[in-house]
Amino acid sequence: MSELRLENVRKEFGSETAVSELSLTADGDLLVLVGPSGCGKSTTLRMIAGLEQPTDGKIFIDGEDVTRRSPSGRSIAMVFQNYALYRTMNVRKNIGYGLKHSSALSKSERIEKVEEIAEMFGISELLDREVSALSGGQKQRVALGRALVRDPDVFLLDEPLSSLDAKLRSQMRTELQRIQQELGVTTIYVTHDQKEAMTMSDRLAVMNDGELQQIGSPEATYVRPENRFVASFLGSPAMNFLDIDVERRNGHTRYLLDSHELVRVSDDTQAIDRPIQLGIRPEDLTLLDDPDDGATTGTVRHVEYQGNDSFVRLEVNGRIVTCVVPASVRPRQGDSVGLNFPPDQIHLFDMDAGDAIRSPSVDASDTRIETGPSTTEGNETDSRGANR
Amino acid sequence: MAEQRRKPSESSSLSESSASGAVHVDGLTKQYDDVVAVSDLDLHVEPGELLVLLGPSGCGKTTTLRSIAGLEHVTDGTIHFDDEDVTRQAPQRRDVAMVFQSYALYPHKTVRGNLQFPLRKTDISGTEATERVEEIAELLEMETHLDTRPAQLSGGQRQRVAVGRALVRQPHLLCMDEPLSNLDAKLRVETRSELRQLQQRLGITTIYVTHDQEEAMSIADRIAVMNDGRIEQVGTPEDVYERPANEFVASFVGDPPMNFCDPDDVQAAGIETPQSAAGSPDTIGIRPEYIYPTDSRGEPAAGDRVEVDRPSDPVVLTVELIEPVGRAYEIQLTGHGLDLVARLRTRPDDVTEGDSSEFVFDLDRLTTFNDAGEVV
Amino acid sequence: MTVRENVANGFRIVLDGHRRSSLLSRIGFYVATALTLLFSLYPFYVMFITSISTNESLYSRDRGVIPKSFTLEHYEVIFGSGSFPVQTYFWNSLSVALVTSVIALVVSILGAYSFTRLDYPGGTLIRRGIIVVYMLAAITLVIPLFQLLVRFDLVDTKTSLYITYTVKTLPLTLYILWNYFRSIPVEIEEAAFIDGYSRLETIARVIVPVSLPVLVAAFLFSFKIAWNEYLFASVFLQSEALYTLPIGIETLDSAFQNVWGEIMAASIITTLPIIVMFLYLEKYMVEGLTAGAVEG
């Protein structure tokens, strides 16, 4: 188990900053870097691998500064989206190739090692097949095996599952998690797929525009996003955002949409005198058949049936609000419905800066959320025990 | 942001197109050398309908679409647009439009040039053509980008131009080949409901290819689930999800997918297995959302607005893993030889990883399959 | 980005140590660059200096790298004396080069397209054949071509050059365009088919405009080959009125004494149009016109 540490790493391409002042630490856990394309996650991974040179900042593996070392001089292994296998070799040679050059193992030890890793990935019976005869899932297994056979200190994965179909992807996800835990190798996993990110990670690092937005357990990040970007990036369908006014009266705080009260809360201590935006997740909204029962009424514009859920797009005061309901609830287009905004689930964001001002309160049943590692940098602990 | 988008004007020469019609595919077979990509496929698309061809990669859905568009020569079978046999017609003469996965915009032309290009081959010209282009640009909120080239547009904008280029001619049939797969997740969800509303308003017959079952469910009038060059089932999203024809459809549609169990294990767990005239089933399927934890009174904790029609007796299962996946939690359960995933809307109280807990199944929601994988 | 900027960028990347390089490898790089530049640019320098040096300094023993006096007398001889019809040669060269490049371009657009998209019997053979022809040295073709020209009664005509130069440049232009056409996503064409355009219309309205930079490059190559061609012209042409510049320059050798100044002046005149043309057309050879056509 090796500790990977990035200190104020910055990368510029010409005049463009791809990654700015990034610091993070990973130690034996699976850290997922997630963000939209162009957010700097792949550049970060490539800097850790040594394929890109940081413009500024330092990278440490087990306390040793490896910033200036070539990729082969760091004990890392990397798996790419497109497998990058040696096409002219069979599976056994593909997996063993790196060992031959990077270790002092004897031939018999190498054979043993290859077979061990093949078993771990369930590809023992494929060892003598040609790579071209393998399916996509099998190729990806070989690529993973080839990377891990060398016992790297740090294991890097760049969207390794994105060329597989959905079913295979979820299978591989579980398998990868199991193997990562078994080996306890520090793993950095890059993806743009938020579901993949949420299910796989011990910790989630959300990036945007080259900057780290938030780092923490997937659940904590989802429930208590620190800014509007994180809030809107995680979750499908995405969080609803409404520009609201705040009115304080008799110890209550009222959130108003065009002077119509959406919700009233009593617990607000700090006065808010900035323009703010209310955020609420579609699944947290309560939809009521009778418009008179809800605090707010809306008209159903569009319903997307999903089998287990339905996504309902409502028009509320000229805004479109998305709401997730169980599929057994069947609102029809044009229906008038009631809508409640549960006070516990309200997020508030600073309109200009985008920072979260208020996040859903954590009640007793949610205590697990707090057991995730702290979301502040430099204060990170091994989150494996806490999360799994 | 979706809520800030204004609705395009309703009055337009584009709306309520009358050109769109039916498509009938009979016995379509497409063979490449000795590989059969599509075999003996029948498909009927109603005028104004949006039909989704859904299936895993390599199932023949794109080949089917390309055959209908005229980009592939069919090996056997016929294709009719209304009553006209178009099987041997070149794509130029079929009056179809297509949105490609890669968009395939003309890189040397501006947005205006791209939108105009199809019109040049119709009898729409001069001011009418200009108006048409501007109208479609407005409809897709691209009116300020008319003089921009595709290279300067974002992915989402390019996708709009591709859709606009397809719609501007008001074709008999609109073909879409994974039109959203190059957009990021958030934009995809927004765009698909906009596409659907646009298609409904224009009443344009559409065949839409995707491998994404969520996309298919949310956009389709009817879904044709394909596998191995064949159609496994055609039906509304509700049909396909709630009344799957076979094990393949049941496993492909739904996320997380349906659990499949051995009936003996189910019986061993103390759940009564459905019997039918055809004998005992070979496999029993249960969707993850029909497995519930129990509350303090031993009743299923189904949550708001969900009814459990016929709860089973409680079954004790071990909770292996609780995975938060955004708007739901996926719980991996084992016990009695069963290996199940349950999907819950909220994090269940008193359920922790590694512990055993009581769960209830909705017996009315069990699906039974025979040894051929067909639903009994 | 123009070609110049591209080259400049390449240098910057190497020199700035985009990937940090050792002092030794950097010195090696500079030496290699200097040698390359010396060998490619020194001939031009000599050509230019010789063309403006007086005969005295040209044939004196102690001429330095930079001559002491300059003169335009060689140019005056070239342009002024009736014995060297520079205009005739120039127009001959220009017409041969233009006609050849245009024919080569049109044929290779259609040919390269067919290589890329169409499947027909013998296609592979033709594709291979093109490469083989390109590999053959011109000298091996001279005699057979001459026989053919005699058979068709084309010896000592400009048509003989149109045909043989096209044969000579076609493999190259075909190869350039074929490589580029393969990189054009087939969906762009399919979109045009679906939009109602026939294959030929699609080539004219989509493929050609999209390939413009490469077409310009192919045109330049083909023009350059035809413009500089010496061997075929010297064998196939007999009357001086049809001479192109390269063989025209050769006639100087026999027409004058002490001809090096004149030969170099004529060479400068021959070289200039190519350089001017390259500088002018360079801006059309920009990369990335297909950017934004298709995703991912």
Side-chain angles (χ1 to χ4, degrees):
Chain A
M1 210 181 281
S2 303
E3 185 208 50
L4 169 77
R5 194 167 84 242
L6 271 63
E7 269 180 19
N8 300 319
V9 169
R10 190 155 54 85
K11 175 68 185 174
E12 285 165 15
F13 292 108
S15 58
E16 272 180 50
T17 306
V19 175
S20 64
E21 303 305 319
L22 178 71
S23 299
L24 51 83
T25 310
D27 191 359
D29 58 350
L30 200 164
L31 175 72
V32 173
L33 289 180
V34 70
S37 56
C39 72
K41 55 189 191 298
S42 287
T43 309
T44 304
L45 199 74
R46 291 173 60 83
M47 285 193 287
I48 299 170
L51 298 169
E52 301 282 353
Q53 195 63 50
T55 311
D56 210 355
K58 284 191 160 51
I59 298 170
F60 299 90
I61 295 177
D62 267 341
E64 217 176 314
D65 184 350
V66 298
T67 321
R68 301 277 149 197
R69 285 216 202 132
S70 70
S72 53
R74 319 176 177 196
S75 177
I76 49 128
M78 186 156 173
V79 172
F80 300 88
Q81 185 179 340
N82 56 4
Y83 322 130
L85 295 177
Y86 306 116
R87 255 185 293 174
T88 52
M89 301 182 191
N90 67 16
V91 173
R92 188 186 302 276
K93 285 189 182 140
N94 257 288
I95 297 178
Y97 191 73
L99 269 189
K100 207 165 163 182
H101 294 271
S102 68
S103 69
L105 296 180
S106 72
K107 192 166 183 199
S108 62
E109 281 171 317
R110 287 206 307 263
I111 289 172
E112 202 176 306
K113 194 94 201 204
V114 168
E115 277 170 3
E116 198 179 298
I117 210 92
E119 194 168 327
M120 193 177 256
F121 282 98
I123 48 173
S124 298
E125 67 281 13
L126 302 178
L127 276 174
D128 295 309
R129 290 258 195 98
E130 289 304 314
V131 166
S132 54
L134 302 181
S135 71
Q138 291 169 332
K139 279 185 194 159
Q140 196 52 280
R141 267 173 219 195
V142 175
L144 292 166
R146 186 181 63 178
L148 285 176
V149 76
R150 288 190 287 139
D151 287 329
D153 288 341
V154 179
F155 185 28
L156 306 173
L157 300 121
D158 191 1
E159 311 236 2
L161 305 182
S162 57
S163 38
L164 306 180
D165 66 31
K167 216 167 148 187
L168 203 52
R169 200 155 60 218
S170 81
Q171 237 174 53
M172 286 299 291
R173 226 151 47 194
T174 321
E175 211 166 309
L176 251 178
Q177 268 175 292
R178 175 180 60 81
I179 289 166
Q180 191 273 335
Q181 272 171 44
E182 239 166 72
L183 299 176
V185 56
T186 303
T187 303
I188 311 290
Y189 187 107
V190 160
T191 181
H192 68 275
D193 178 340
Q194 50 144 323
K195 183 175 178 189
E196 192 164 295
M198 292 213 43
T199 49
M200 281 202 78
S201 59
D202 293 327
R203 282 183 309 142
L204 195 62
V206 185
M207 290 185 72
N208 187 36
D209 269 348
E211 280 175 42
L212 183 65
Q213 302 289 320
Q214 185 166 353
I215 185 166
S217 83
E219 198 172 2
T221 315
Y222 185 81
V223 176
R224 301 173 67 84
E226 284 167 12
N227 61 42
R228 191 167 47 207
F229 175 80
V230 176
S232 68
F233 184 75
L234 292 181
S236 178
M239 185 184 275
N240 296 296
F241 294 98
L242 295 167
D243 300 352
I244 52 154
D245 297 314
V246 181
E247 192 182 271
R248 286 173 62 83
R249 187 189 291 170
N250 311 337
H252 293 302
T253 305
R254 300 181 347 128
Y255 300 142
L256 307 171
L257 180 70
D258 301 332
S259 69
H260 171 84
E261 180 182 302
L262 288 179
V263 61
R264 178 193 299 239
V265 293
S266 53
D267 62 340
D268 251 13
T269 46
Q270 74 193 94
I272 301 160
D273 47 6
R274 294 163 281 179
I276 60 167
Q277 216 170 20
L278 177 144
I280 182 140
R281 295 218 176 263
E283 66 270 25
D284 292 335
L285 280 168
T286 323
L287 193 72
L288 305 155
D289 290 335
D290 190 344
D292 296 336
D293 291 350
T296 311
T297 55
T299 311
V300 177
R301 285 283 166 234
H302 187 62
V303 181
E304 290 187 3
Y305 172 80
Q306 294 293 335
N308 43 22
D309 288 328
S310 286
F311 302 166
V312 186
R313 313 241 182 244
L314 300 165
E315 192 176 324
V316 179
N317 276 25
R319 268 55 147 226
I320 298 293
V321 172
T322 307
C323 180
V324 173
V325 296
S328 53
V329 183
R330 295 279 176 90
R332 275 198 308 264
Q333 206 161 325
D335 280 1
S336 211
V337 292
L339 197 62
N340 271 345
F341 289 71
D344 294 352
Q345 307 297 342
I346 299 284
H347 301 251
L348 294 180
F349 300 96
D350 183 307
M351 179 89 79
D352 304 317
D355 296 338
I357 301 169
R358 179 189 198 276
S359 293
S361 51
V362 180
D363 62 29
S365 68
D366 281 338
T367 44
R368 283 181 48 93
I369 295 164
E370 295 283 79
T371 63
S374 153
T375 56
T376 47
E377 288 166 26
N379 191 16
E380 290 154 14
T381 52
D382 181 359
S383 65
R384 302 173 61 73
N387 266 326
R388 298 280 165 202
Chain B
M1 295 288 119
E3 71 262 27
Q4 270 137 21
R5 250 179 215 141
R6 74 203 148 65
K7 286 205 302 299
S9 57
E10 298 279 342
S11 64
S12 79
S13 63
L14 279 167
S15 56
E16 273 64 66
S17 151
S18 54
S20 269
V23 175
H24 304 286
V25 177
D26 294 288
L28 175 70
T29 300
K30 174 68 192 178
Q31 208 166 339
Y32 298 99
D33 299 326
D34 47 353
V35 181
V36 181
V38 179
S39 88
D40 197 19
L41 178 136
D42 298 326
L43 185 68
H44 300 277
V45 190
E46 303 294 324
E49 179 183 36
L50 193 157
L51 183 123
V52 171
L53 292 175
L54 172 70
S57 60
C59 73
K61 55 189 191 300
T62 296
T63 307
T64 305
L65 186 79
R66 289 172 57 85
S67 302
I68 295 170
L71 294 171
E72 301 283 348
H73 294 284
V74 304
T75 311
D76 205 359
T78 59
I79 300 163
H80 286 82
F81 287 0
D82 290 333
D83 297 330
E84 195 191 351
D85 186 347
V86 299
T87 318
R88 302 283 150 200
Q89 267 183 14
Q92 288 88 345
R93 304 191 43 217
R94 286 199 189 188
D95 194 21
V96 291
M98 186 141 167
V99 177
F100 292 83
Q101 177 172 10
S102 62
Y103 312 148
L105 299 180
Y106 307 118
H108 58 295
K109 291 179 183 293
T110 60
V111 170
R112 189 192 303 278
N114 269 279
L115 294 177
Q116 259 165 4
F117 200 62
L119 288 181
R120 295 230 193 115
K121 281 281 157 181
T122 64
D123 43 16
I124 302 160
S125 59
T127 48
E128 199 192 342
T130 315
E131 270 169 32
R132 198 58 98 73
V133 166
E134 274 164 14
E135 209 172 288
I136 204 92
E138 196 182 327
L139 197 65
L140 296 163
E141 288 159 47
M142 290 298 296
E143 64 269 37
T144 54
H145 295 89
L146 274 172
D147 297 311
T148 318
R149 277 177 207 257
Q152 269 98 50
L153 299 176
S154 70
Q157 290 170 330
R158 285 176 203 175
Q159 202 272 341
R160 280 158 188 275
V161 177
V163 170
R165 186 178 64 184
L167 290 177
V168 74
R169 208 153 42 96
Q170 298 182 357
H172 180 93
L173 170 71
L174 174 61
C175 296
M176 297 198 173
D177 187 8
E178 308 251 5
L180 304 179
S181 62
N182 278 318
L183 301 179
D184 68 34
K186 207 178 139 197
L187 200 55
R188 203 154 56 216
V189 173
E190 268 174 35
T191 311
R192 73 177 184 221
S193 83
E194 280 168 30
L195 265 187
R196 172 57 166 164
Q197 291 175 60
L198 192 66
Q199 182 271 337
Q200 279 182 327
R201 202 165 71 242
L202 300 182
I204 192 165
T205 312
T206 304
I207 303 180
Y208 187 110
V209 162
T210 182
H211 67 276
D212 180 339
Q213 56 92 27
E214 180 183 314
E215 196 170 297
M217 299 269 279
S218 52
I219 206 169
D221 285 313
R222 287 190 305 148
I223 299 176
V225 183
M226 286 189 71
N227 186 31
D228 258 351
R230 281 169 229 280
I231 291 183
E232 302 278 349
Q233 184 175 3
V234 186
T236 62
E238 286 86 349
D239 286 341
V240 169
Y241 189 82
E242 279 160 26
R243 292 172 288 283
N246 55 42
E247 226 173 302
F248 177 80
V249 175
S251 69
F252 195 78
V253 178
D255 177 41
M258 184 183 272
N259 297 293
F260 296 100
C261 323
D262 188 321
D264 297 340
D265 294 332
V266 175
Q267 235 151 13
I271 299 167
E272 115 193 36
T273 52
Q275 297 292 325
S276 69
S280 62
D282 191 66
T283 306
I284 290 181
I286 177 92
R287 292 227 176 255
E289 62 271 28
Y290 299 129
I291 303 174
Y292 310 95
T294 52
D295 60 19
S296 50
R297 289 165 293 141
E299 299 286 315
D304 279 351
R305 312 196 70 181
V306 179
E307 308 231 323
V308 182
D309 298 321
R310 200 151 64 88
S312 68
D313 293 334
V315 182
V316 176
L317 295 165
T318 310
V319 178
E320 297 287 339
L321 189 65
I322 303 177
E323 282 192 307
V325 288
R327 65 175 201 270
Y329 291 83
E330 292 177 15
I331 321 269
Q332 288 182 24
L333 304 167
T334 54
H336 310 285
L338 298 169
D339 204 342
L340 301 167
V341 173
R343 179 183 188 272
L344 307 175
R345 258 164 254 284
T346 51
R347 185 183 268 283
D349 306 337
D350 315 323
V351 173
T352 42
E353 279 172 19
D355 286 355
S356 292
S357 225
E358 280 190 348
F359 289 86
V360 168
F361 295 58
D362 191 340
L363 294 176
D364 274 0
R365 300 295 190 161
L366 299 184
T367 313
T368 53
F369 302 92
N370 65 16
D371 53 1
E374 291 152 356
V375 167
V376 184
Chain C
M1 208 181 275
T2 67
V3 176
R4 251 172 309 180
E5 281 165 330
N6 262 328
V7 171
N9 228 354
F11 272 84
R12 206 171 307 131
I13 285 168
V14 177
L15 298 181
D16 287 358
H18 192 72
R19 186 147 302 289
R20 284 157 308 102
S21 43
S22 70
L23 184 65
L24 196 70
S25 64
R26 235 188 274 194
I27 290 171
F29 173 78
Y30 278 115
V31 170
T33 309
L35 280 174
T36 311
L37 287 177
L38 179 72
F39 277 95
S40 45
L41 293 183
Y42 185 69
F44 286 99
Y45 174 76
V46 170
M47 200 162 91
F48 178 67
I49 290 301
T50 310
S51 77
I52 56 167
S53 301
T54 57
N55 274 337
E56 295 83 76
S57 74
L58 272 179
Y59 298 103
S60 73
R61 278 177 160 267
D62 54 290
R63 55 186 287 244
V65 180
I66 300 162
K68 293 172 191 71
S69 57
F70 300 101
T71 173
L72 289 176
E73 61 183 21
H74 305 306
Y75 289 90
E76 278 161 25
V77 172
I78 294 288
F79 284 108
S81 82
S83 54
F84 187 73
V86 68
Q87 279 96 340
T88 312
Y89 298 162
F90 190 89
W91 286 121
N92 286 342
S93 271
L94 190 68
S95 69
V96 169
L98 274 178
V99 170
T100 303
S101 323
V102 169
I103 296 175
L105 207 57
V106 171
V107 173
S108 54
I109 286 171
L110 296 173
Y113 181 85
S114 84
F115 287 179
T116 321
R117 300 283 190 237
L118 306 181
D119 216 6
Y120 47 88
T124 319
L125 196 70
I126 297 175
R127 266 165 269 200
R128 291 223 181 100
I130 297 290
I131 309 292
V132 171
V133 170
Y134 184 55
M135 295 301 164
L136 292 180
I139 193 79
T140 60
L141 296 173
V142 170
I143 306 300
L145 282 176
F146 189 73
Q147 282 182 330
L148 272 175
L149 293 174
V150 170
R151 181 75 46 88
F152 288 103
D153 200 19
L154 290 170
V155 177
D156 200 26
T157 59
K158 268 196 200 167
T159 314
S160 70
L161 296 192
Y162 298 156
I163 293 172
T164 52
Y165 285 9
T166 306
V167 167
K168 197 172 172 179
T169 63
L170 207 50
L172 182 67
T173 50
L174 265 172
Y175 195 68
I176 294 174
L177 295 190
W178 178 26
N179 265 325
Y180 189 77
F181 287 175
R182 275 191 295 194
S183 74
I184 299 176
V186 70
E187 291 94 331
I188 299 188
E189 278 175 58
E190 290 180 342
F193 295 162
I194 285 191
D195 284 344
Y197 291 82
S198 70
R199 205 178 274 279
L200 271 178
E201 284 172 322
T202 303
I203 293 175
R205 286 165 169 276
V206 178
I207 299 296
V208 166
V210 163
S211 318
L212 197 63
V214 179
L215 295 181
V216 169
F219 177 86
L220 266 181
F221 274 119
S222 149
F223 188 93
K224 194 215 81 164
I225 291 173
W227 182 266
N228 291 340
E229 212 287 334
Y230 169 80
L231 183 64
F232 287 3
S234 72
V235 176
F236 301 152
L237 298 182
Q238 281 148 17
S239 22
E240 214 167 286
L242 296 176
Y243 278 8
T244 53
L245 278 168
I247 44 175
I249 292 174
E250 198 198 14
T251 62
L252 283 171
D253 195 18
S254 46
F256 298 93
Q257 301 275 300
N258 298 342
V259 289
W260 283 113
E262 282 74 27
I263 288 181
M264 289 304 149
S267 300
I268 290 283
I269 293 164
T270 308
T271 315
L272 269 181
I274 293 285
I275 293 176
V276 170
M277 203 153 118
F278 176 79
L279 291 178
Y280 176 70
L281 289 179
E282 188 211 358
K283 65 170 177 278
Y284 295 106
M285 292 165 64
V286 282
E287 295 277 344
L289 253 187
T290 44
V294 297
E295 290 297 285

